[in-house]
Amino acid sequence: MSLDTRPAAPRQGSPVASRPGGGPARRRARLGNPLAGLGSLVWLVIVVVPLYTLVSASLMRQDQALNGEPLAIPTDPTLDNYRTVLDSGFLSLLGNTAIVAVVTVALVLVLSVPVAYVAVRTRSRLSSLAFRTFLLGVAIPAQAVIVPLYLLIGKMGLYDTLWAIILPTAAFSMPVAVLVLSGTMRDVSEEMYEAMSLDGATPLRMLWQLVVPLSKAGISTVAIFSALQAWNGFLFPLILTQSEENRVLTLGLFNFMTQFGVNIPAVLAAIVLSVVPIFLVYLVARRALINGLMGVGGK
C-alpha cells in the first residue's frame, strides 16, 4: 500500500488556481491603463501650455511678445508689466471683486442651507413646489432676464452700486447651491435625526449641530461655485454699473485692453494677477469641491 504524496490539483476557479501567471485582470492591473494615461497626458498639455504662455508672455517686453515665439522662454524677463498694472488702479478692482465674492458667498450659504434642509426634511406639497421652482432657475440664463433685471435694480435705487452685482449673482447661484446641498443632506441617516429628536432637539438645532457639520463638503462646493460665479461675472457689472469706483476685475480687464492699446504683456499680467487669488482658494478647497460634486459630502 503506497501513499500518494503529490499535492492535490487546485480546483478550477479557486484563488490558488488563478495565482500562477496572475490572470488577465492582474496583468492589466500591473500594466495600468495606457489609454487613460495617454488621455491624462494630453489633458495636462492642454491645461499647462496656455498657463505657461500666459505667465511667460507677461514677463516679456512688448517687442518680444509681438515678434518672438509664443512658447519661447523670456530671454530678459521683466516685472514692468506688473508694475504698470498695479499703478493703474488694479488694487481697487481687486478689492471690489473680493467684496462682491465674499458677500455673494455669504448670502448664498445663509439662504440655500435652510432651503435645502427644508426641502429634504419636509414632505409637504409647498416645499416640493418651492424646490422645483428653485430648480427652474438652472434653466434660465441671465441674458434672458437682463432687461427686467436692469429695470428692477433701477427701481430699487441700487444701480451703479456693488449691490447691483451681488444680488443678481447670488440669485443665479442659488438654484445650483440648493441642488448640491439637498443631495448632500440626503446622505445624513434618518437614525441620526431620530436620536437628536429623542434628546429634545429642535429642527434648528438639528440643522446647526447635525446637518451642517455632516454637509461640509457640499457647503464648500457651493461656496467655491458661488465665489467663481462672482469672481468671473461680466454681464452684471457691465450692465448694472457705470462709475470707475464700482468696477470689478472682469470689467477692468476689458477696459485695460483699451487703456494699454496693444500692450499685450500688460494685459496678460493683469490676467495673471486676477487669477491668482481664486486659484489659491481652489487649491485649498479642491478636495471638498470634488467630494461635494460626487455626492459623498455626507458620508
Side-chain angles (χ1 to χ4, degrees), residues 23-57:
R26 181 169 297 183
R27 285 195 295 269
R28 284 196 300 268
R30 287 199 303 263
L31 295 176
N33 192 335
L35 186 60
L38 180 61
S40 301
L41 181 61
V42 171
W43 179 251
L44 181 64
V45 171
I46 293 174
V47 172
V48 170
V49 169
L51 291 177
Y52 164 76
T53 305
L54 176 67
V55 175
S56 63

Side-chain angles (χ1 to χ4, degrees), residues 6-299:
R6 291 176 300 175
R11 291 177 296 176
Q12 188 69 22
S14 65
V16 178
S18 59
R19 189 175 300 164
R26 181 169 297 183
R27 285 195 295 269
R28 284 196 300 268
R30 287 199 303 263
L31 295 176
N33 192 335
L35 186 60
L38 180 61
S40 301
L41 181 61
V42 171
W43 179 251
L44 181 64
V45 171
I46 293 174
V47 172
V48 170
V49 169
L51 291 177
Y52 164 76
T53 305
L54 176 67
V55 175
S56 63
S58 68
L59 298 174
M60 295 181 181
R61 296 191 305 271
Q62 175 70 352
D63 55 346
Q64 293 177 334
L66 293 177
N67 301 326
E69 295 292 334
L71 299 179
I73 299 176
T75 56
D76 187 17
T78 177
L79 296 177
D80 291 339
N81 302 311
Y82 291 90
R83 297 190 188 97
T84 302
V85 173
L86 293 175
D87 293 338
S88 302
F90 180 84
L91 293 180
S92 176
L93 299 174
L94 183 63
N96 288 340
T97 307
I99 293 173
V100 170
V102 171
V103 177
T104 299
V105 171
L107 281 177
V108 170
L109 292 181
V110 168
L111 297 175
S112 61
V113 169
V115 169
Y117 176 70
V118 171
V120 171
R121 296 295 299 163
T122 307
R123 299 293 184 264
S124 66
R125 293 183 178 180
L126 182 59
S127 64
S128 178
L129 178 62
F131 180 70
R132 294 177 182 179
T133 303
F134 270 100
L135 294 186
L136 285 177
V138 179
I140 300 176
Q143 294 83 354
V145 297
I146 190 61
V147 173
L149 187 60
Y150 171 81
L151 297 176
L152 180 62
I153 291 294
K155 290 290 185 181
M156 296 172 62
L158 297 177
Y159 180 75
D160 198 21
T161 64
L162 293 181
W163 284 107
I165 306 173
I166 293 170
L167 294 179
T169 305
F172 277 89
S173 300
M174 281 284 294
V176 176
V178 171
L179 181 63
V180 172
L181 287 175
S182 60
T184 302
M185 292 178 183
R186 286 192 178 95
D187 291 335
V188 181
S189 64
E190 188 67 26
E191 290 77 9
M192 293 183 178
Y193 288 111
E194 293 177 356
M196 291 200 68
S197 179
L198 292 176
D199 290 339
T202 62
L204 182 60
R205 181 184 169 189
M206 291 183 187
L207 172 63
W208 183 250
Q209 295 185 357
L210 175 65
V211 177
V212 170
L214 294 179
S215 304
K216 288 182 179 179
I219 293 174
S220 300
T221 302
V222 169
I224 296 173
F225 172 78
S226 304
L228 287 174
Q229 292 290 100
W231 197 272
N232 298 325
F234 178 75
L235 181 62
F236 296 146
L238 178 64
I239 303 298
L240 302 177
T241 60
Q242 185 177 7
S243 60
E244 291 289 338
E245 59 268 19
N246 290 320
R247 293 191 183 278
V248 294
L249 279 174
T250 50
L251 198 57
L253 293 176
F254 179 73
N255 292 333
F256 279 161
M257 298 183 66
T258 303
Q259 179 179 351
F260 294 133
V262 293
N263 193 347
I264 297 176
V267 175
L268 296 180
I271 295 175
V272 171
L273 291 175
S274 65
V275 167
V276 168
I278 198 67
F279 182 69
L280 293 177
V281 172
Y282 170 76
L283 287 181
V284 171
R286 65 186 185 278
R287 180 170 297 179
L289 175 64
I290 294 172
N291 289 341
L293 291 176
M294 292 175 63
V296 297
K299 294 184 184 295

